[in-house]
Amino acid sequence: MTNPFSKTTLWVVTSVAVISLVVTVVLTVLGSDPAEHATAGANGYSRSAIGHRALIGMLEKLDVPVVVSHNASAQKSAHGLLVLAEPQLGDDKVDRLTAMIDDAANVLVVLPKWYGFAQQGEGWIESADLLPEAEVERVANAIGIEDSGLARDTHALYWRSTDLPAPFIDRPQTISASAVTADIYMGERALLGHFTRGGKDIYVLADPDVISNFGLRRPQNAQLALQLIDRLRHDGPVVFDETVHGRAQTPSLFAALFSFPLVLATIQVIVCALLAVWAAMVRFGPNRASPPPLAPGKDFLIANTAALLCFGGHHVDALRRYLGANIAQVKHALHAPANLSPVAQTEWLERMRAVRLGTIPLTELEHEVMTASPAPQRVVELADRIYRWRMEMMHGSRNRS
């Protein structure tokens, strides 16, 4: 099979493949998931003030196994911790939320508080406003707290806790201490508490400022967030569920292959497959008949005879025979006298050459042929000279007027 690529094309294809492979490795190692820049809301991808990306990054740097999940979050958490941070509840999400709480071994629910106005085309917010209390109450009711007694205070509070560090929050959002067993509280107001549902404790963090990107700038909040998660995860993974933020995805191998970073490897495989198909497509239609071993016509016979003569080294002998055949043709064409000796024949032909104004002397031509070297180029030159001598003798010289 012939090579379907020219050398230039092959070099180009190879260069493109190598460059794309290097780019794939660099983007995989140093690049980031494009989905991380697609939101400025209160979720695990957001880098805005109200997002949770900083907490996930802190846990990763501490070698805590962290998963940002888009499906089967309760199953992924196993004996670890499922974090439902600031759920956004629509009519179709309440059942999903309660099902995850019932299926998970350990649950931390962070009540929502803020909504922001995103900058155009940026992963940041221009401003943030408090969510209506009714939306926060709806989340509390969905997880099993009938009367949360939600309150938003504008003055600083001095928190009490048995063994957890006290946070620092400018405008704390709290729930009634009677609604949960308070873990961090002041008076009748609880910031962190837990209640029993289905035979297990469900922990509720009333104010997301403890874990938000903005709140984690304060060491007290970061210390509380890390200690709380470490206590609740029981050395298991920490799963941040994103289905409560409208980012549910059905498990699909096809979708995984076309998501970052696997999409880079998928593109490589597709390109290689296309090149392989291209290389295999050497023909269209029915099979082309194989050429016969001996080509028809005189061209093949002449070429084969010449090759045999060249291989045998009989160039000069063939040249001498060619000269003799041309002399015989000229004698016949000019009606030379019969029974002439070789010397007389040459003299007669020379006289005829003078009459016809020929430019190639036969005596000189015979001497050149007899002393010719076996070099193929020299033999061809003399053969051409013999042919021109014959043409001048039979048809006259061009110099003849």
Side-chain angles (χ1 to χ4, degrees), residues 62-125:
L62 294 173
D63 294 328
V64 176
V66 182
V67 178
V68 180
S69 175
H70 299 275
N71 56 74
S73 300
Q75 289 74 19
K76 292 176 182 177
S77 64
H79 66 279
L81 176 64
L82 173 63
V83 180
L84 302 172
E86 303 190 63
Q88 301 170 355
L89 292 187
D91 294 336
D92 59 334
K93 296 178 183 177
V94 174
D95 293 340
R96 179 185 295 169
L97 177 66
T98 56
M100 284 191 292
I101 293 175
D102 293 337
D103 294 340
N106 305 288
V107 180
L108 172 62
V109 179
V110 183
L111 297 181
K113 180 180 180 180
W114 302 100
Y115 68 93
F117 297 94
Q119 296 180 1
Q120 184 69 26
E122 299 289 342
W124 312 104
I125 56 174

Short mmCIF file of all heavy atoms in Angstrom, two decimals, residues 62-125:
data_model
loop_
_atom_site.label_atom_id
_atom_site.label_comp_id
_atom_site.label_asym_id
_atom_site.label_seq_id
_atom_site.Cartn_x
_atom_site.Cartn_y
_atom_site.Cartn_z
N LEU A 62 -5.59 20.80 53.04
CA LEU A 62 -5.38 20.02 54.26
C LEU A 62 -5.51 18.53 54.01
O LEU A 62 -5.57 17.74 54.97
CB LEU A 62 -6.39 20.47 55.33
CG LEU A 62 -6.22 21.90 55.84
CD1 LEU A 62 -7.37 22.28 56.76
CD2 LEU A 62 -4.88 22.05 56.57
N ASP A 63 -5.56 18.13 52.74
CA ASP A 63 -5.65 16.72 52.34
C ASP A 63 -6.92 16.04 52.84
O ASP A 63 -6.93 14.82 53.08
CB ASP A 63 -4.42 15.94 52.81
CG ASP A 63 -3.14 16.41 52.13
OD1 ASP A 63 -3.23 16.82 50.96
OD2 ASP A 63 -2.07 16.36 52.76
N VAL A 64 -7.98 16.82 52.99
CA VAL A 64 -9.28 16.25 53.32
C VAL A 64 -9.95 15.86 52.00
O VAL A 64 -10.04 16.69 51.10
CB VAL A 64 -10.15 17.26 54.09
CG1 VAL A 64 -11.55 16.69 54.34
CG2 VAL A 64 -9.49 17.63 55.41
N PRO A 65 -10.42 14.63 51.86
CA PRO A 65 -11.08 14.24 50.61
C PRO A 65 -12.38 15.02 50.41
O PRO A 65 -13.28 14.95 51.24
CB PRO A 65 -11.35 12.74 50.80
CG PRO A 65 -11.28 12.49 52.26
CD PRO A 65 -10.33 13.51 52.82
N VAL A 66 -12.44 15.78 49.32
CA VAL A 66 -13.58 16.66 49.05
C VAL A 66 -14.15 16.31 47.69
O VAL A 66 -13.39 16.10 46.72
CB VAL A 66 -13.19 18.14 49.09
CG1 VAL A 66 -14.40 19.03 48.86
CG2 VAL A 66 -12.54 18.49 50.42
N VAL A 67 -15.47 16.27 47.59
CA VAL A 67 -16.15 16.02 46.33
C VAL A 67 -17.22 17.08 46.14
O VAL A 67 -18.01 17.32 47.05
CB VAL A 67 -16.80 14.62 46.30
CG1 VAL A 67 -17.55 14.41 44.98
CG2 VAL A 67 -15.76 13.53 46.50
N VAL A 68 -17.21 17.74 44.98
CA VAL A 68 -18.31 18.63 44.60
C VAL A 68 -19.21 17.80 43.70
O VAL A 68 -18.85 17.46 42.58
CB VAL A 68 -17.79 19.88 43.87
CG1 VAL A 68 -18.96 20.78 43.48
CG2 VAL A 68 -16.82 20.65 44.76
N SER A 69 -20.37 17.44 44.21
CA SER A 69 -21.20 16.40 43.60
C SER A 69 -22.39 16.98 42.85
O SER A 69 -23.01 17.96 43.29
CB SER A 69 -21.70 15.45 44.68
OG SER A 69 -22.59 14.49 44.15
N HIS A 70 -22.71 16.33 41.70
CA HIS A 70 -23.86 16.70 40.90
C HIS A 70 -24.91 15.59 40.83
O HIS A 70 -25.92 15.75 40.16
CB HIS A 70 -23.41 17.06 39.48
CG HIS A 70 -22.47 18.21 39.42
ND1 HIS A 70 -22.88 19.52 39.39
CD2 HIS A 70 -21.10 18.26 39.42
CE1 HIS A 70 -21.83 20.32 39.35
NE2 HIS A 70 -20.74 19.58 39.37
N ASN A 71 -24.64 14.49 41.51
CA ASN A 71 -25.61 13.40 41.56
C ASN A 71 -25.19 12.41 42.65
O ASN A 71 -24.01 12.32 43.00
CB ASN A 71 -25.73 12.68 40.21
CG ASN A 71 -24.39 12.18 39.72
OD1 ASN A 71 -23.86 11.20 40.24
ND2 ASN A 71 -23.82 12.86 38.72
N ALA A 72 -26.18 11.67 43.17
CA ALA A 72 -25.93 10.61 44.17
C ALA A 72 -25.03 11.10 45.29
O ALA A 72 -24.11 10.40 45.72
CB ALA A 72 -25.34 9.38 43.49
N SER A 73 -25.28 12.30 45.81
CA SER A 73 -24.40 12.89 46.82
C SER A 73 -24.41 12.11 48.12
O SER A 73 -23.37 11.94 48.76
CB SER A 73 -24.83 14.34 47.08
OG SER A 73 -24.74 15.10 45.90
N ALA A 74 -25.58 11.64 48.56
CA ALA A 74 -25.65 10.89 49.81
C ALA A 74 -24.83 9.61 49.73
O ALA A 74 -24.13 9.24 50.68
CB ALA A 74 -27.12 10.57 50.14
N GLN A 75 -24.89 8.91 48.58
CA GLN A 75 -24.13 7.68 48.43
C GLN A 75 -22.62 7.97 48.39
O GLN A 75 -21.82 7.19 48.90
CB GLN A 75 -24.55 6.95 47.15
CG GLN A 75 -25.94 6.32 47.20
CD GLN A 75 -27.06 7.35 47.11
OE1 GLN A 75 -26.83 8.49 46.68
NE2 GLN A 75 -28.25 6.97 47.53
N LYS A 76 -22.24 9.07 47.79
CA LYS A 76 -20.82 9.42 47.72
C LYS A 76 -20.25 9.76 49.08
O LYS A 76 -19.07 9.53 49.35
CB LYS A 76 -20.61 10.60 46.77
CG LYS A 76 -20.89 10.28 45.31
CD LYS A 76 -20.77 11.53 44.45
CE LYS A 76 -21.10 11.23 42.99
NZ LYS A 76 -21.07 12.44 42.14
N SER A 77 -21.07 10.34 49.95
CA SER A 77 -20.57 10.72 51.27
C SER A 77 -20.31 9.51 52.15
O SER A 77 -19.49 9.57 53.08
CB SER A 77 -21.57 11.65 51.96
OG SER A 77 -22.80 10.98 52.21
N ALA A 78 -20.98 8.39 51.89
CA ALA A 78 -20.78 7.14 52.65
C ALA A 78 -20.86 7.42 54.15
O ALA A 78 -21.87 7.93 54.63
CB ALA A 78 -19.45 6.51 52.26
N HIS A 79 -19.79 7.11 54.90
CA HIS A 79 -19.80 7.38 56.35
C HIS A 79 -19.25 8.78 56.65
O HIS A 79 -19.09 9.13 57.82
CB HIS A 79 -18.96 6.33 57.08
CG HIS A 79 -17.50 6.40 56.73
ND1 HIS A 79 -16.98 5.85 55.58
CD2 HIS A 79 -16.46 6.97 57.38
CE1 HIS A 79 -15.67 6.06 55.53
NE2 HIS A 79 -15.32 6.75 56.62
N GLY A 80 -18.95 9.56 55.60
CA GLY A 80 -18.44 10.91 55.80
C GLY A 80 -19.56 11.92 55.99
O GLY A 80 -20.62 11.60 56.54
N LEU A 81 -19.32 13.13 55.50
CA LEU A 81 -20.25 14.25 55.75
C LEU A 81 -20.83 14.76 54.45
O LEU A 81 -20.10 15.05 53.50
CB LEU A 81 -19.51 15.39 56.47
CG LEU A 81 -20.31 16.67 56.72
CD1 LEU A 81 -21.49 16.41 57.66
CD2 LEU A 81 -19.41 17.77 57.28
N LEU A 82 -22.15 14.91 54.43
CA LEU A 82 -22.84 15.54 53.31
C LEU A 82 -23.15 16.97 53.71
O LEU A 82 -23.83 17.22 54.72
CB LEU A 82 -24.14 14.80 52.98
CG LEU A 82 -25.05 15.46 51.95
CD1 LEU A 82 -24.36 15.55 50.60
CD2 LEU A 82 -26.38 14.71 51.84
N VAL A 83 -22.65 17.95 52.93
CA VAL A 83 -22.87 19.37 53.21
C VAL A 83 -23.91 19.90 52.23
O VAL A 83 -23.69 19.85 51.01
CB VAL A 83 -21.56 20.17 53.11
CG1 VAL A 83 -21.83 21.64 53.39
CG2 VAL A 83 -20.52 19.62 54.06
N LEU A 84 -25.02 20.38 52.75
CA LEU A 84 -26.05 21.02 51.95
C LEU A 84 -25.99 22.51 52.27
O LEU A 84 -26.62 22.99 53.21
CB LEU A 84 -27.42 20.43 52.28
CG LEU A 84 -27.56 18.92 52.07
CD1 LEU A 84 -28.87 18.41 52.62
CD2 LEU A 84 -27.43 18.58 50.60
N ALA A 85 -25.17 23.23 51.50
CA ALA A 85 -24.88 24.63 51.81
C ALA A 85 -25.82 25.55 51.06
O ALA A 85 -25.81 25.59 49.83
CB ALA A 85 -23.43 24.95 51.46
N GLU A 86 -26.66 26.27 51.79
CA GLU A 86 -27.58 27.28 51.26
C GLU A 86 -28.43 26.72 50.11
O GLU A 86 -28.32 27.19 48.97
CB GLU A 86 -26.81 28.52 50.82
CG GLU A 86 -25.98 29.13 51.94
CD GLU A 86 -25.40 30.49 51.56
OE1 GLU A 86 -26.20 31.41 51.32
OE2 GLU A 86 -24.17 30.59 51.49
N PRO A 87 -29.25 25.72 50.37
CA PRO A 87 -30.09 25.15 49.30
C PRO A 87 -31.03 26.19 48.70
O PRO A 87 -31.55 27.06 49.40
CB PRO A 87 -30.89 24.06 50.03
CG PRO A 87 -30.12 23.78 51.28
CD PRO A 87 -29.47 25.07 51.67
N GLN A 88 -31.21 26.08 47.40
CA GLN A 88 -32.20 26.90 46.69
C GLN A 88 -33.36 25.98 46.33
O GLN A 88 -33.26 25.14 45.46
CB GLN A 88 -31.58 27.51 45.42
CG GLN A 88 -30.36 28.38 45.69
CD GLN A 88 -29.63 28.76 44.42
OE1 GLN A 88 -29.97 28.32 43.33
NE2 GLN A 88 -28.61 29.59 44.56
N LEU A 89 -34.45 26.15 47.05
CA LEU A 89 -35.55 25.20 46.93
C LEU A 89 -36.61 25.69 45.97
O LEU A 89 -37.18 26.76 46.13
CB LEU A 89 -36.19 24.94 48.31
CG LEU A 89 -35.33 24.19 49.31
CD1 LEU A 89 -36.15 23.86 50.54
CD2 LEU A 89 -34.76 22.92 48.70
N GLY A 90 -36.88 24.84 44.96
CA GLY A 90 -38.06 25.00 44.12
C GLY A 90 -39.00 23.85 44.44
O GLY A 90 -38.72 22.99 45.29
N ASP A 91 -40.13 23.83 43.78
CA ASP A 91 -41.10 22.78 44.07
C ASP A 91 -40.55 21.39 43.80
O ASP A 91 -40.98 20.41 44.41
CB ASP A 91 -42.37 23.01 43.24
CG ASP A 91 -43.09 24.30 43.64
OD1 ASP A 91 -42.88 24.73 44.79
OD2 ASP A 91 -43.81 24.86 42.80
N ASP A 92 -39.61 21.29 42.84
CA ASP A 92 -39.09 19.99 42.47
C ASP A 92 -37.87 19.58 43.27
O ASP A 92 -37.31 18.50 43.05
CB ASP A 92 -38.73 19.98 40.99
CG ASP A 92 -37.69 21.05 40.66
OD1 ASP A 92 -37.62 22.05 41.40
OD2 ASP A 92 -36.96 20.87 39.66
N LYS A 93 -37.40 20.43 44.22
CA LYS A 93 -36.17 20.15 44.94
C LYS A 93 -36.40 19.76 46.40
O LYS A 93 -35.47 19.30 47.05
CB LYS A 93 -35.23 21.36 44.88
CG LYS A 93 -34.76 21.69 43.47
CD LYS A 93 -33.88 22.92 43.47
CE LYS A 93 -33.47 23.30 42.03
NZ LYS A 93 -32.66 24.54 42.02
N VAL A 94 -37.59 19.95 46.92
CA VAL A 94 -37.85 19.63 48.33
C VAL A 94 -37.71 18.13 48.55
O VAL A 94 -37.04 17.69 49.49
CB VAL A 94 -39.24 20.13 48.75
CG1 VAL A 94 -39.56 19.67 50.16
CG2 VAL A 94 -39.31 21.65 48.65
N ASP A 95 -38.32 17.34 47.70
CA ASP A 95 -38.23 15.89 47.85
C ASP A 95 -36.80 15.40 47.70
O ASP A 95 -36.37 14.49 48.41
CB ASP A 95 -39.13 15.21 46.82
CG ASP A 95 -40.61 15.46 47.09
OD1 ASP A 95 -40.95 15.82 48.24
OD2 ASP A 95 -41.43 15.30 46.16
N ARG A 96 -36.06 15.99 46.78
CA ARG A 96 -34.67 15.59 46.59
C ARG A 96 -33.85 15.92 47.83
O ARG A 96 -33.01 15.13 48.26
CB ARG A 96 -34.09 16.30 45.37
CG ARG A 96 -32.63 15.97 45.10
CD ARG A 96 -32.08 16.79 43.96
NE ARG A 96 -32.76 16.47 42.70
CZ ARG A 96 -32.62 17.19 41.61
NH1 ARG A 96 -31.87 18.27 41.61
NH2 ARG A 96 -33.24 16.82 40.50
N LEU A 97 -34.11 17.09 48.43
CA LEU A 97 -33.37 17.50 49.63
C LEU A 97 -33.65 16.54 50.78
O LEU A 97 -32.72 16.07 51.45
CB LEU A 97 -33.76 18.93 50.00
CG LEU A 97 -33.13 19.48 51.28
CD1 LEU A 97 -31.62 19.63 51.10
CD2 LEU A 97 -33.75 20.83 51.64
N THR A 98 -34.92 16.26 51.03
CA THR A 98 -35.25 15.36 52.15
C THR A 98 -34.75 13.95 51.91
O THR A 98 -34.33 13.26 52.86
CB THR A 98 -36.78 15.35 52.35
OG1 THR A 98 -37.43 14.97 51.12
CG2 THR A 98 -37.27 16.73 52.75
N ALA A 99 -34.76 13.50 50.67
CA ALA A 99 -34.25 12.16 50.37
C ALA A 99 -32.76 12.07 50.65
O ALA A 99 -32.27 11.05 51.18
CB ALA A 99 -34.55 11.81 48.91
N MET A 100 -31.99 13.11 50.29
CA MET A 100 -30.56 13.10 50.57
C MET A 100 -30.30 13.09 52.07
O MET A 100 -29.40 12.39 52.55
CB MET A 100 -29.88 14.32 49.91
CG MET A 100 -29.69 14.20 48.42
SD MET A 100 -28.61 15.49 47.75
CE MET A 100 -29.65 16.93 48.01
N ILE A 101 -31.07 13.87 52.82
CA ILE A 101 -30.88 13.90 54.28
C ILE A 101 -31.16 12.52 54.88
O ILE A 101 -30.45 12.05 55.77
CB ILE A 101 -31.79 14.97 54.90
CG1 ILE A 101 -31.32 16.37 54.45
CG2 ILE A 101 -31.79 14.89 56.42
CD1 ILE A 101 -32.21 17.50 54.91
N ASP A 102 -32.20 11.86 54.40
CA ASP A 102 -32.56 10.55 54.94
C ASP A 102 -31.52 9.49 54.57
O ASP A 102 -31.29 8.55 55.34
CB ASP A 102 -33.93 10.12 54.42
CG ASP A 102 -35.05 11.01 54.97
OD1 ASP A 102 -34.84 11.63 56.03
OD2 ASP A 102 -36.12 11.09 54.31
N ASP A 103 -30.86 9.63 53.39
CA ASP A 103 -29.93 8.60 52.92
C ASP A 103 -28.51 8.79 53.44
O ASP A 103 -27.73 7.83 53.47
CB ASP A 103 -29.89 8.58 51.39
CG ASP A 103 -31.21 8.12 50.79
OD1 ASP A 103 -31.99 7.48 51.52
OD2 ASP A 103 -31.46 8.42 49.60
N ALA A 104 -28.14 10.00 53.83
CA ALA A 104 -26.76 10.27 54.25
C ALA A 104 -26.56 9.89 55.71
O ALA A 104 -27.47 9.95 56.53
CB ALA A 104 -26.43 11.74 54.04
N ALA A 105 -25.32 9.50 56.03
CA ALA A 105 -24.99 9.13 57.40
C ALA A 105 -24.84 10.35 58.29
O ALA A 105 -25.28 10.37 59.45
CB ALA A 105 -23.71 8.30 57.42
N ASN A 106 -24.20 11.40 57.80
CA ASN A 106 -23.97 12.62 58.55
C ASN A 106 -24.28 13.81 57.65
O ASN A 106 -23.81 13.85 56.50
CB ASN A 106 -22.52 12.71 59.04
CG ASN A 106 -22.11 11.49 59.86
OD1 ASN A 106 -22.55 11.31 60.99
ND2 ASN A 106 -21.27 10.64 59.27
N VAL A 107 -25.04 14.77 58.20
CA VAL A 107 -25.50 15.88 57.37
C VAL A 107 -25.27 17.20 58.09
O VAL A 107 -25.53 17.32 59.30
CB VAL A 107 -27.01 15.74 57.05
CG1 VAL A 107 -27.47 16.90 56.18
CG2 VAL A 107 -27.29 14.41 56.36
N LEU A 108 -24.75 18.17 57.33
CA LEU A 108 -24.67 19.54 57.80
C LEU A 108 -25.44 20.41 56.81
O LEU A 108 -25.08 20.49 55.63
CB LEU A 108 -23.22 20.02 57.88
CG LEU A 108 -23.02 21.51 58.17
CD1 LEU A 108 -23.60 21.90 59.54
CD2 LEU A 108 -21.53 21.90 58.08
N VAL A 109 -26.50 21.07 57.31
CA VAL A 109 -27.30 21.97 56.49
C VAL A 109 -26.95 23.40 56.86
O VAL A 109 -26.98 23.76 58.04
CB VAL A 109 -28.80 21.73 56.68
CG1 VAL A 109 -29.61 22.69 55.82
CG2 VAL A 109 -29.17 20.28 56.33
N VAL A 110 -26.58 24.19 55.86
CA VAL A 110 -26.29 25.61 56.07
C VAL A 110 -27.45 26.40 55.49
O VAL A 110 -27.72 26.32 54.28
CB VAL A 110 -24.96 26.01 55.40
CG1 VAL A 110 -24.65 27.47 55.69
CG2 VAL A 110 -23.83 25.10 55.86
N LEU A 111 -28.14 27.15 56.33
CA LEU A 111 -29.30 27.90 55.87
C LEU A 111 -28.86 29.05 54.97
O LEU A 111 -27.78 29.63 55.17
CB LEU A 111 -30.08 28.45 57.06
CG LEU A 111 -30.69 27.40 57.99
CD1 LEU A 111 -31.46 28.09 59.13
CD2 LEU A 111 -31.62 26.46 57.24
N PRO A 112 -29.64 29.39 53.96
CA PRO A 112 -29.28 30.50 53.07
C PRO A 112 -29.48 31.85 53.76
O PRO A 112 -30.23 31.96 54.72
CB PRO A 112 -30.24 30.32 51.90
CG PRO A 112 -31.43 29.63 52.48
CD PRO A 112 -30.89 28.72 53.55
N LYS A 113 -28.80 32.86 53.22
CA LYS A 113 -28.92 34.19 53.82
C LYS A 113 -28.86 35.29 52.76
O LYS A 113 -29.62 36.26 52.85
CB LYS A 113 -27.80 34.40 54.85
CG LYS A 113 -27.81 35.75 55.54
CD LYS A 113 -26.66 35.84 56.54
CE LYS A 113 -26.64 37.20 57.25
NZ LYS A 113 -25.53 37.30 58.22
N TRP A 114 -27.96 35.18 51.79
CA TRP A 114 -27.71 36.27 50.84
C TRP A 114 -28.07 35.86 49.42
O TRP A 114 -28.08 34.70 49.06
CB TRP A 114 -26.22 36.66 50.85
CG TRP A 114 -25.66 37.08 52.17
CD1 TRP A 114 -24.92 36.31 53.03
CD2 TRP A 114 -25.79 38.36 52.78
NE1 TRP A 114 -24.57 37.04 54.12
CE2 TRP A 114 -25.09 38.31 54.00
CE3 TRP A 114 -26.42 39.55 52.43
CZ2 TRP A 114 -25.00 39.38 54.87
CZ3 TRP A 114 -26.33 40.63 53.29
CH2 TRP A 114 -25.63 40.55 54.50
N TYR A 115 -28.34 36.88 48.62
CA TYR A 115 -28.32 36.72 47.17
C TYR A 115 -27.59 37.93 46.60
O TYR A 115 -27.67 39.04 47.14
CB TYR A 115 -29.74 36.60 46.59
CG TYR A 115 -30.59 37.85 46.66
CD1 TYR A 115 -30.65 38.75 45.60
CD2 TYR A 115 -31.36 38.12 47.80
CE1 TYR A 115 -31.44 39.88 45.67
CE2 TYR A 115 -32.15 39.25 47.88
CZ TYR A 115 -32.19 40.13 46.81
OH TYR A 115 -32.96 41.26 46.89
N GLY A 116 -26.83 37.70 45.53
CA GLY A 116 -25.98 38.76 45.00
C GLY A 116 -26.33 39.12 43.57
O GLY A 116 -26.99 38.36 42.86
N PHE A 117 -25.87 40.29 43.16
CA PHE A 117 -26.04 40.78 41.79
C PHE A 117 -24.68 40.65 41.10
O PHE A 117 -23.74 41.37 41.43
CB PHE A 117 -26.53 42.21 41.76
CG PHE A 117 -27.90 42.38 42.38
CD1 PHE A 117 -28.03 42.73 43.72
CD2 PHE A 117 -29.05 42.16 41.64
CE1 PHE A 117 -29.29 42.88 44.30
CE2 PHE A 117 -30.30 42.30 42.21
CZ PHE A 117 -30.42 42.66 43.55
N ALA A 118 -24.60 39.71 40.18
CA ALA A 118 -23.31 39.40 39.55
C ALA A 118 -22.90 40.48 38.58
O ALA A 118 -23.73 41.11 37.91
CB ALA A 118 -23.39 38.06 38.84
N GLN A 119 -21.60 40.72 38.51
CA GLN A 119 -21.05 41.60 37.48
C GLN A 119 -21.16 40.93 36.13
O GLN A 119 -21.09 39.71 36.02
CB GLN A 119 -19.59 41.94 37.79
CG GLN A 119 -19.40 42.72 39.08
CD GLN A 119 -17.94 43.04 39.33
OE1 GLN A 119 -17.08 42.69 38.54
NE2 GLN A 119 -17.68 43.71 40.44
N GLN A 120 -21.31 41.72 35.08
CA GLN A 120 -21.49 41.19 33.74
C GLN A 120 -20.23 40.45 33.30
O GLN A 120 -19.14 41.02 33.21
CB GLN A 120 -21.79 42.33 32.75
CG GLN A 120 -22.08 41.85 31.34
CD GLN A 120 -23.40 41.10 31.26
OE1 GLN A 120 -24.29 41.32 32.07
NE2 GLN A 120 -23.52 40.21 30.29
N GLY A 121 -20.38 39.13 33.04
CA GLY A 121 -19.27 38.34 32.53
C GLY A 121 -18.20 38.03 33.54
O GLY A 121 -17.12 37.56 33.18
N GLU A 122 -18.42 38.29 34.83
CA GLU A 122 -17.41 38.06 35.85
C GLU A 122 -17.93 37.09 36.89
O GLU A 122 -19.13 36.88 37.04
CB GLU A 122 -17.01 39.39 36.52
CG GLU A 122 -16.43 40.42 35.58
CD GLU A 122 -15.05 40.04 35.09
OE1 GLU A 122 -14.41 39.19 35.73
OE2 GLU A 122 -14.61 40.58 34.06
N GLY A 123 -17.02 36.49 37.64
CA GLY A 123 -17.41 35.59 38.72
C GLY A 123 -17.50 36.29 40.05
O GLY A 123 -17.24 35.68 41.09
N TRP A 124 -17.86 37.57 40.02
CA TRP A 124 -17.96 38.35 41.26
C TRP A 124 -19.34 39.01 41.33
O TRP A 124 -20.10 39.01 40.36
CB TRP A 124 -16.86 39.42 41.30
CG TRP A 124 -15.51 38.89 40.95
CD1 TRP A 124 -14.83 39.04 39.79
CD2 TRP A 124 -14.68 38.09 41.81
NE1 TRP A 124 -13.63 38.39 39.84
CE2 TRP A 124 -13.50 37.80 41.06
CE3 TRP A 124 -14.80 37.60 43.11
CZ2 TRP A 124 -12.46 37.04 41.59
CZ3 TRP A 124 -13.76 36.84 43.62
CH2 TRP A 124 -12.62 36.57 42.87
N ILE A 125 -19.64 39.58 42.47
CA ILE A 125 -20.92 40.26 42.65
C ILE A 125 -20.67 41.74 42.93
O ILE A 125 -19.67 42.12 43.53
CB ILE A 125 -21.75 39.64 43.79
CG1 ILE A 125 -20.96 39.66 45.11
CG2 ILE A 125 -22.17 38.24 43.44
CD1 ILE A 125 -21.77 39.20 46.30
#
